[in-house]
Amino acid sequence: MATIRFDVLTLFPDMFTGFIQNSMIQKAHEKGLIETRIINFRDYAFNKHRTVDDIPYGGGDGMVLKPEPFFEAIDDLIDPNEEKPPVLLMSPQGERLTQQKVNQLATHSRLILLCGHYAGFDERIHQYVATEEISIGDYVLTGGELPAMIIMDSVSRQIPGVLGNTLSAQNDSFADGLLEYPQYTRPAEYRGYQVPEVLLSGHHLRIEKWRRQESLRRTWERRPELLDKVTLTEEDRIFLRQLEDQQGE
């Protein structure tokens, strides 16, 4: 029944226990919307010591993950008669994860995630096992487990029924290319700080307009480069020009 299945190859399966057994991900499992299999790729090592890394050819610091466990694991996980699902290698050299990429990944019924450690993967894993490489940012982490969890979380949110409110994912930051508008809840006044009057008005068109303008304002202030990729209405452009004029005063 699962809408999407995640197969995760890692040396540290226990890192995923809390992630899977809490909050949205746990509820999605209970509903049968997602399925997760956490696989220790050490189980696919060839020798009796279950060695998964070795020194790099040509010398250098650190240890490199050996190709055999990954090739063997993929052979075991994928039926040769079925279409190969995306095999995502977690790497700072990979394609930057964006909401658009998340949306694309969510169209698949299965994803295989490769989590590395040590000094990286043998290049043959990059070339012949992974179908693509994903980076969550321009920095280096100890391993690929946290990036894998980020992919699993962000992709799961796009699966219908995972979120309690079906509009939540649509209104998230980046869902339409803009940052999300400010949110408020009760009380309407606290320590002298007021909720904007328009949100208390009950006038849905005014609220919708305010939210759109606040998304534009926040994006313009914090991530202006995103505006180049957003489809803007003439009303949006007028509002942005007003912001620029106010800045120049």
mmCIF file of all heavy atoms in Angstrom, residues 55-71:
data_model
loop_
_atom_site.group_PDB
_atom_site.id
_atom_site.type_symbol
_atom_site.label_atom_id
_atom_site.label_comp_id
_atom_site.label_asym_id
_atom_site.label_seq_id
_atom_site.Cartn_x
_atom_site.Cartn_y
_atom_site.Cartn_z
ATOM 1 N N ILE A 55 42.479 1.617 2.364
ATOM 2 C CA ILE A 55 43.302 2.793 2.087
ATOM 3 C C ILE A 55 43.194 3.170 0.608
ATOM 4 O O ILE A 55 42.994 2.303 -0.245
ATOM 5 C CB ILE A 55 44.775 2.546 2.474
ATOM 6 C CG1 ILE A 55 45.336 1.333 1.725
ATOM 7 C CG2 ILE A 55 44.898 2.340 3.974
ATOM 8 C CD1 ILE A 55 46.819 1.112 1.949
ATOM 9 N N PRO A 56 43.306 4.439 0.290
ATOM 10 C CA PRO A 56 43.159 4.859 -1.107
ATOM 11 C C PRO A 56 44.378 4.516 -1.941
ATOM 12 O O PRO A 56 45.519 4.628 -1.475
ATOM 13 C CB PRO A 56 42.976 6.374 -1.008
ATOM 14 C CG PRO A 56 43.653 6.757 0.266
ATOM 15 C CD PRO A 56 43.458 5.602 1.203
ATOM 16 N N TYR A 57 44.155 4.078 -3.168
ATOM 17 C CA TYR A 57 45.269 3.918 -4.103
ATOM 18 C C TYR A 57 45.921 5.275 -4.324
ATOM 19 O O TYR A 57 45.241 6.298 -4.433
ATOM 20 C CB TYR A 57 44.767 3.381 -5.446
ATOM 21 C CG TYR A 57 44.533 1.895 -5.471
ATOM 22 C CD1 TYR A 57 43.272 1.387 -5.736
ATOM 23 C CD2 TYR A 57 45.586 1.009 -5.255
ATOM 24 C CE1 TYR A 57 43.047 0.010 -5.780
ATOM 25 C CE2 TYR A 57 45.373 -0.368 -5.301
ATOM 26 C CZ TYR A 57 44.109 -0.853 -5.557
ATOM 27 O OH TYR A 57 43.900 -2.218 -5.596
ATOM 28 N N GLY A 58 47.257 5.278 -4.421
ATOM 29 C CA GLY A 58 47.982 6.526 -4.634
ATOM 30 C C GLY A 58 48.312 7.261 -3.362
ATOM 31 O O GLY A 58 48.961 8.302 -3.397
ATOM 32 N N GLY A 59 47.850 6.729 -2.216
ATOM 33 C CA GLY A 59 48.146 7.352 -0.944
ATOM 34 C C GLY A 59 47.151 8.443 -0.600
ATOM 35 O O GLY A 59 46.283 8.815 -1.389
ATOM 36 N N GLY A 60 47.288 8.967 0.584
ATOM 37 C CA GLY A 60 46.408 10.027 1.055
ATOM 38 C C GLY A 60 45.799 9.693 2.403
ATOM 39 O O GLY A 60 45.895 8.559 2.897
ATOM 40 N N ASP A 61 45.172 10.694 3.007
ATOM 41 C CA ASP A 61 44.587 10.512 4.328
ATOM 42 C C ASP A 61 43.225 9.844 4.227
ATOM 43 O O ASP A 61 42.511 9.960 3.224
ATOM 44 C CB ASP A 61 44.423 11.871 5.027
ATOM 45 C CG ASP A 61 45.763 12.534 5.297
ATOM 46 O OD1 ASP A 61 46.738 11.790 5.502
ATOM 47 O OD2 ASP A 61 45.816 13.779 5.299
ATOM 48 N N GLY A 62 42.832 9.186 5.303
ATOM 49 C CA GLY A 62 41.501 8.623 5.394
ATOM 50 C C GLY A 62 41.359 7.284 4.702
ATOM 51 O O GLY A 62 42.278 6.775 4.060
ATOM 52 N N MET A 63 40.153 6.748 4.863
ATOM 53 C CA MET A 63 39.810 5.454 4.276
ATOM 54 C C MET A 63 38.672 5.654 3.287
ATOM 55 O O MET A 63 37.818 6.531 3.457
ATOM 56 C CB MET A 63 39.384 4.476 5.368
ATOM 57 C CG MET A 63 40.431 4.285 6.467
ATOM 58 S SD MET A 63 41.876 3.364 5.897
ATOM 59 C CE MET A 63 41.233 1.691 5.970
ATOM 60 N N VAL A 64 38.660 4.811 2.254
ATOM 61 C CA VAL A 64 37.664 4.935 1.182
ATOM 62 C C VAL A 64 36.732 3.724 1.235
ATOM 63 O O VAL A 64 37.173 2.587 1.420
ATOM 64 C CB VAL A 64 38.365 5.007 -0.188
ATOM 65 C CG1 VAL A 64 37.332 5.034 -1.316
ATOM 66 C CG2 VAL A 64 39.255 6.239 -0.255
ATOM 67 N N LEU A 65 35.434 3.965 1.070
ATOM 68 C CA LEU A 65 34.461 2.884 1.075
ATOM 69 C C LEU A 65 34.632 2.002 -0.158
ATOM 70 O O LEU A 65 34.717 2.491 -1.280
ATOM 71 C CB LEU A 65 33.040 3.453 1.118
ATOM 72 C CG LEU A 65 32.633 4.056 2.464
ATOM 73 C CD1 LEU A 65 31.333 4.823 2.323
ATOM 74 C CD2 LEU A 65 32.518 2.979 3.535
ATOM 75 N N LYS A 66 34.687 0.703 0.072
ATOM 76 C CA LYS A 66 34.937 -0.275 -0.989
ATOM 77 C C LYS A 66 33.699 -0.444 -1.880
ATOM 78 O O LYS A 66 32.559 -0.270 -1.425
ATOM 79 C CB LYS A 66 35.316 -1.614 -0.370
ATOM 80 C CG LYS A 66 36.634 -1.590 0.402
ATOM 81 C CD LYS A 66 36.809 -2.808 1.289
ATOM 82 C CE LYS A 66 36.880 -4.087 0.503
ATOM 83 N NZ LYS A 66 38.092 -4.148 -0.339
ATOM 84 N N PRO A 67 33.898 -0.806 -3.131
ATOM 85 C CA PRO A 67 32.758 -0.934 -4.039
ATOM 86 C C PRO A 67 31.893 -2.160 -3.798
ATOM 87 O O PRO A 67 30.675 -2.127 -4.016
ATOM 88 C CB PRO A 67 33.407 -0.984 -5.421
ATOM 89 C CG PRO A 67 34.786 -1.492 -5.180
ATOM 90 C CD PRO A 67 35.185 -0.946 -3.839
ATOM 91 N N GLU A 68 32.518 -3.286 -3.354
ATOM 92 C CA GLU A 68 31.777 -4.544 -3.307
ATOM 93 C C GLU A 68 30.469 -4.490 -2.519
ATOM 94 O O GLU A 68 29.430 -4.954 -3.021
ATOM 95 C CB GLU A 68 32.665 -5.670 -2.748
ATOM 96 C CG GLU A 68 33.977 -5.881 -3.468
ATOM 97 C CD GLU A 68 35.116 -5.245 -2.711
ATOM 98 O OE1 GLU A 68 35.042 -4.020 -2.479
ATOM 99 O OE2 GLU A 68 36.072 -5.958 -2.365
ATOM 100 N N PRO A 69 30.455 -3.947 -1.292
ATOM 101 C CA PRO A 69 29.197 -3.971 -0.535
ATOM 102 C C PRO A 69 28.053 -3.248 -1.240
ATOM 103 O O PRO A 69 26.890 -3.680 -1.150
ATOM 104 C CB PRO A 69 29.573 -3.277 0.780
ATOM 105 C CG PRO A 69 31.043 -3.468 0.913
ATOM 106 C CD PRO A 69 31.565 -3.394 -0.484
ATOM 107 N N PHE A 70 28.363 -2.172 -1.933
ATOM 108 C CA PHE A 70 27.306 -1.400 -2.588
ATOM 109 C C PHE A 70 26.796 -2.100 -3.846
ATOM 110 O O PHE A 70 25.589 -2.152 -4.099
ATOM 111 C CB PHE A 70 27.815 0.009 -2.902
ATOM 112 C CG PHE A 70 28.024 0.840 -1.679
ATOM 113 C CD1 PHE A 70 29.271 0.883 -1.062
ATOM 114 C CD2 PHE A 70 26.980 1.553 -1.129
ATOM 115 C CE1 PHE A 70 29.464 1.636 0.090
ATOM 116 C CE2 PHE A 70 27.158 2.316 0.024
ATOM 117 C CZ PHE A 70 28.407 2.350 0.631
ATOM 118 N N PHE A 71 27.704 -2.636 -4.637
ATOM 119 C CA PHE A 71 27.269 -3.388 -5.813
ATOM 120 C C PHE A 71 26.422 -4.591 -5.406
ATOM 121 O O PHE A 71 25.376 -4.865 -6.005
ATOM 122 C CB PHE A 71 28.494 -3.862 -6.618
ATOM 123 C CG PHE A 71 29.072 -2.819 -7.539
ATOM 124 C CD1 PHE A 71 29.911 -1.822 -7.064
ATOM 125 C CD2 PHE A 71 28.777 -2.847 -8.889
ATOM 126 C CE1 PHE A 71 30.451 -0.872 -7.910
ATOM 127 C CE2 PHE A 71 29.316 -1.900 -9.759
ATOM 128 C CZ PHE A 71 30.148 -0.905 -9.269
#
